[in-house]
Amino acid sequence: MADTPPATPSAPVMRSSKPVSEALLNEKWDHAISSLLIRSSLGLSFGVVFSVLLFKRRAWPAWVGLGFGAGRAWEEADAMFKRGDTPTGKEGLRMVRT
């Protein structure tokens, strides 16, 4: 084999971190989208169950459940963006700022 000098490990590359406001905004969007998916799927599943049990397998209860779930997630995300709180904060507890 050819004589090659041993590879020296290079210094780690310093990456510029995101600004705090951008990180918080990304966190809020992540929470809003995951909440939308979870609540919509729960609403859809409840709609399907009610459709099978009560409404002779009609499609509209599933769509109504999907709409209720998506609407609930939309309102929660809208309130979160307007309030300016963090999505990882304690849910349901009032935070007093001093």
Side-chain angles (χ1 to χ4, degrees):
M1 285 180 96
D3 291 329
T4 57
T8 58
S10 60
V13 177
M14 298 297 290
R15 295 183 183 171
S16 61
S17 62
K18 294 180 182 178
V20 175
S21 60
E22 185 177 343
L24 287 175
L25 191 60
N26 287 341
E27 206 171 309
K28 287 181 184 183
W29 273 109
D30 289 344
H31 182 72
I33 291 171
S34 66
S35 177
L36 176 73
L37 290 174
I38 291 169
R39 291 181 191 272
S40 296
S41 61
L42 282 174
L44 179 66
S45 62
F46 276 111
V48 167
V49 168
F50 284 129
S51 173
V52 169
L53 295 178
L54 300 175
F55 296 108
K56 299 180 184 177
R57 297 187 183 187
R58 305 273 186 206
W60 65 267
W63 289 107
V64 169
L66 180 73
F68 277 130
R72 174 78 175 139
W74 180 276
E75 287 299 317
E76 180 184 325
D78 188 43
M80 181 178 53
F81 279 111
K82 285 183 181 178
R83 249 191 341 257
D85 63 347
T86 59
T88 57
K90 307 239 189 237
E91 297 288 332
L93 296 177
R94 182 175 173 202
M95 296 175 62
V96 178
R97 296 182 183 173
T98 56

